[in-house]
Amino acid sequence: MNNKTWNESLDEMLAKLNNGEFANQSIKDFEKAINDSVYGSKYKSSSNKSYSSTNYRQTQPYIKKSIDNTKYDSRYQQITQCLSNIEFENYSDEKKAGYQQALDYYLSQTDKYRDNLKLLEAEIKNDLNTYKSKVRSSNVDNFLLGYYDGLQMIKKVINNSKNDRFAELNNKIGK
């Protein structure tokens, strides 16, 4: 199938489907056959380069599972632990630098607003609004995109800490 175009592969797969050749296969097996035949040949025959859809996969940074699933005594402790344990896999260096700068800045701000995290939330909300308009411009660089992604992660961590405290309170009241 390497010499076939993706259209020819698709036609061949549809003919097999009409003939009932996939009747005894699971949906997962059928999907795999489609992907291997149609999408695989599309990427292999579209150019002479060795590019495929799996060669370049960029993921968003994430919080380590062991940290994210831990119970904490305070919102401050949860926020600082989560922001200090971000994993970067397949994330470009320039974006990582922007992301890390946002994390570092807001970790210091978390210490500053330790007793009143609502002020921290307001500052992040303002920064997100400011950077959202910058990110939507046509000449945005990867550092700025990373910084904006970092702000979104910080907002998520703060919201999760608030939701966890509400859940704890609800459990105590519900008992």
Short mmCIF file of all heavy atoms in Angstrom, two decimals, residues 1-13 36-46:
data_model
loop_
_atom_site.label_atom_id
_atom_site.label_comp_id
_atom_site.label_asym_id
_atom_site.label_seq_id
_atom_site.Cartn_x
_atom_site.Cartn_y
_atom_site.Cartn_z
N MET A 1 0.80 -1.20 0.00
CA MET A 1 0.00 0.00 0.00
C MET A 1 0.84 1.27 0.00
O MET A 1 0.29 2.34 -0.07
CB MET A 1 -0.91 0.01 1.22
CG MET A 1 -2.11 -0.86 1.10
SD MET A 1 -3.28 -0.43 2.37
CE MET A 1 -4.46 -1.69 2.08
N ASN A 2 2.15 1.13 0.13
CA ASN A 2 2.99 2.31 0.19
C ASN A 2 2.96 3.13 -1.09
O ASN A 2 3.17 4.33 -1.06
CB ASN A 2 4.44 1.92 0.51
CG ASN A 2 4.59 1.50 1.96
OD1 ASN A 2 3.73 1.77 2.78
ND2 ASN A 2 5.69 0.83 2.26
N ASN A 3 2.71 2.48 -2.24
CA ASN A 3 2.71 3.20 -3.49
C ASN A 3 1.36 3.82 -3.82
O ASN A 3 1.22 4.52 -4.80
CB ASN A 3 3.13 2.26 -4.63
CG ASN A 3 4.57 1.79 -4.46
OD1 ASN A 3 5.37 2.50 -3.85
ND2 ASN A 3 4.88 0.62 -4.97
N LYS A 4 0.33 3.54 -3.03
CA LYS A 4 -1.00 4.05 -3.28
C LYS A 4 -1.17 5.42 -2.63
O LYS A 4 -0.59 5.71 -1.60
CB LYS A 4 -2.05 3.11 -2.69
CG LYS A 4 -2.06 1.75 -3.32
CD LYS A 4 -3.10 0.89 -2.67
CE LYS A 4 -3.02 -0.52 -3.20
NZ LYS A 4 -3.93 -1.40 -2.49
N THR A 5 -2.01 6.22 -3.27
CA THR A 5 -2.36 7.49 -2.64
C THR A 5 -3.39 7.20 -1.55
O THR A 5 -3.98 6.12 -1.49
CB THR A 5 -2.96 8.47 -3.67
OG1 THR A 5 -4.20 7.96 -4.12
CG2 THR A 5 -2.00 8.71 -4.83
N TRP A 6 -3.62 8.17 -0.71
CA TRP A 6 -4.58 7.94 0.38
C TRP A 6 -5.99 7.79 -0.16
O TRP A 6 -6.81 7.09 0.43
CB TRP A 6 -4.47 9.01 1.46
CG TRP A 6 -4.91 10.38 1.07
CD1 TRP A 6 -4.19 11.34 0.46
CD2 TRP A 6 -6.21 10.94 1.28
NE1 TRP A 6 -4.94 12.46 0.26
CE2 TRP A 6 -6.18 12.24 0.77
CE3 TRP A 6 -7.40 10.47 1.84
CZ2 TRP A 6 -7.30 13.07 0.80
CZ3 TRP A 6 -8.49 11.30 1.88
CH2 TRP A 6 -8.43 12.59 1.37
N ASN A 7 -6.31 8.40 -1.31
CA ASN A 7 -7.63 8.22 -1.92
C ASN A 7 -7.83 6.78 -2.37
O ASN A 7 -8.90 6.20 -2.18
CB ASN A 7 -7.80 9.15 -3.13
CG ASN A 7 -7.98 10.59 -2.72
OD1 ASN A 7 -8.44 10.88 -1.63
ND2 ASN A 7 -7.62 11.50 -3.61
N GLU A 8 -6.79 6.19 -2.97
CA GLU A 8 -6.88 4.79 -3.39
C GLU A 8 -7.03 3.87 -2.20
O GLU A 8 -7.80 2.91 -2.22
CB GLU A 8 -5.65 4.41 -4.21
CG GLU A 8 -5.57 5.09 -5.56
CD GLU A 8 -4.24 4.88 -6.25
OE1 GLU A 8 -3.26 4.49 -5.59
OE2 GLU A 8 -4.16 5.14 -7.47
N SER A 9 -6.32 4.16 -1.12
CA SER A 9 -6.42 3.36 0.09
C SER A 9 -7.82 3.45 0.68
O SER A 9 -8.39 2.46 1.13
CB SER A 9 -5.40 3.82 1.13
OG SER A 9 -4.10 3.62 0.68
N LEU A 10 -8.38 4.64 0.67
CA LEU A 10 -9.73 4.84 1.19
C LEU A 10 -10.74 4.07 0.35
O LEU A 10 -11.63 3.40 0.88
CB LEU A 10 -10.07 6.33 1.23
CG LEU A 10 -11.46 6.68 1.77
CD1 LEU A 10 -11.62 6.21 3.20
CD2 LEU A 10 -11.69 8.18 1.68
N ASP A 11 -10.61 4.14 -0.99
CA ASP A 11 -11.51 3.40 -1.87
C ASP A 11 -11.42 1.90 -1.61
O ASP A 11 -12.43 1.19 -1.59
CB ASP A 11 -11.20 3.70 -3.35
CG ASP A 11 -11.58 5.12 -3.75
OD1 ASP A 11 -12.42 5.73 -3.04
OD2 ASP A 11 -11.02 5.61 -4.76
N GLU A 12 -10.20 1.42 -1.41
CA GLU A 12 -10.01 -0.01 -1.14
C GLU A 12 -10.66 -0.40 0.18
O GLU A 12 -11.32 -1.44 0.27
CB GLU A 12 -8.51 -0.31 -1.10
CG GLU A 12 -8.18 -1.78 -0.90
CD GLU A 12 -6.69 -2.02 -0.89
OE1 GLU A 12 -6.04 -1.73 -1.91
OE2 GLU A 12 -6.20 -2.49 0.16
N MET A 13 -10.52 0.43 1.19
CA MET A 13 -11.12 0.14 2.50
C MET A 13 -12.64 0.17 2.41
O MET A 13 -13.32 -0.67 3.02
CB MET A 13 -10.63 1.13 3.55
CG MET A 13 -9.15 1.02 3.89
SD MET A 13 -8.68 -0.60 4.52
CE MET A 13 -9.43 -0.54 6.11
N ASP A 36 -4.24 2.64 9.76
CA ASP A 36 -3.02 2.10 9.15
C ASP A 36 -3.05 2.22 7.64
O ASP A 36 -2.05 2.56 7.02
CB ASP A 36 -2.84 0.63 9.54
CG ASP A 36 -2.48 0.45 11.00
OD1 ASP A 36 -2.12 1.46 11.65
OD2 ASP A 36 -2.57 -0.69 11.50
N SER A 37 -4.19 1.95 7.05
CA SER A 37 -4.28 1.96 5.59
C SER A 37 -4.34 3.37 5.02
O SER A 37 -3.53 3.74 4.19
CB SER A 37 -5.52 1.17 5.16
OG SER A 37 -5.67 1.25 3.77
N VAL A 38 -5.31 4.14 5.49
CA VAL A 38 -5.56 5.44 4.87
C VAL A 38 -4.59 6.49 5.39
O VAL A 38 -3.88 7.12 4.62
CB VAL A 38 -7.02 5.89 5.11
CG1 VAL A 38 -7.25 7.27 4.55
CG2 VAL A 38 -7.97 4.88 4.49
N TYR A 39 -4.57 6.69 6.69
CA TYR A 39 -3.73 7.76 7.23
C TYR A 39 -2.25 7.43 7.12
O TYR A 39 -1.44 8.29 6.84
CB TYR A 39 -4.10 8.05 8.69
CG TYR A 39 -5.49 8.56 8.85
CD1 TYR A 39 -6.37 7.95 9.72
CD2 TYR A 39 -5.94 9.65 8.11
CE1 TYR A 39 -7.67 8.42 9.86
CE2 TYR A 39 -7.22 10.12 8.24
CZ TYR A 39 -8.09 9.51 9.13
OH TYR A 39 -9.36 9.97 9.26
N GLY A 40 -1.90 6.16 7.29
CA GLY A 40 -0.50 5.78 7.18
C GLY A 40 0.04 6.03 5.79
O GLY A 40 1.10 6.60 5.62
N SER A 41 -0.72 5.65 4.77
CA SER A 41 -0.24 5.85 3.41
C SER A 41 -0.25 7.33 3.03
O SER A 41 0.54 7.77 2.23
CB SER A 41 -1.08 5.04 2.42
OG SER A 41 -2.41 5.51 2.41
N LYS A 42 -1.16 8.11 3.62
CA LYS A 42 -1.18 9.55 3.32
C LYS A 42 0.11 10.20 3.77
O LYS A 42 0.72 10.97 3.05
CB LYS A 42 -2.37 10.22 4.02
CG LYS A 42 -2.43 11.72 3.79
CD LYS A 42 -3.60 12.33 4.51
CE LYS A 42 -3.61 13.83 4.31
NZ LYS A 42 -4.68 14.46 5.05
N TYR A 43 0.55 9.88 4.99
CA TYR A 43 1.76 10.50 5.50
C TYR A 43 3.01 9.95 4.81
O TYR A 43 3.96 10.66 4.60
CB TYR A 43 1.88 10.31 7.01
CG TYR A 43 0.89 11.16 7.77
CD1 TYR A 43 -0.10 10.58 8.55
CD2 TYR A 43 0.94 12.55 7.69
CE1 TYR A 43 -1.01 11.37 9.23
CE2 TYR A 43 0.03 13.34 8.36
CZ TYR A 43 -0.94 12.74 9.13
OH TYR A 43 -1.83 13.52 9.81
N LYS A 44 2.99 8.68 4.44
CA LYS A 44 4.16 8.10 3.82
C LYS A 44 4.34 8.53 2.38
O LYS A 44 5.45 8.71 1.91
CB LYS A 44 4.07 6.57 3.90
CG LYS A 44 4.19 6.04 5.30
CD LYS A 44 3.96 4.56 5.35
CE LYS A 44 3.90 4.08 6.78
NZ LYS A 44 3.41 2.70 6.89
N SER A 45 3.22 8.69 1.63
CA SER A 45 3.36 8.98 0.21
C SER A 45 3.25 10.45 -0.13
O SER A 45 3.45 10.83 -1.25
CB SER A 45 2.30 8.19 -0.57
OG SER A 45 1.02 8.66 -0.23
N SER A 46 2.90 11.30 0.83
CA SER A 46 2.69 12.70 0.50
C SER A 46 3.99 13.44 0.24
O SER A 46 4.01 14.43 -0.45
CB SER A 46 1.91 13.40 1.63
OG SER A 46 2.67 13.39 2.81
#
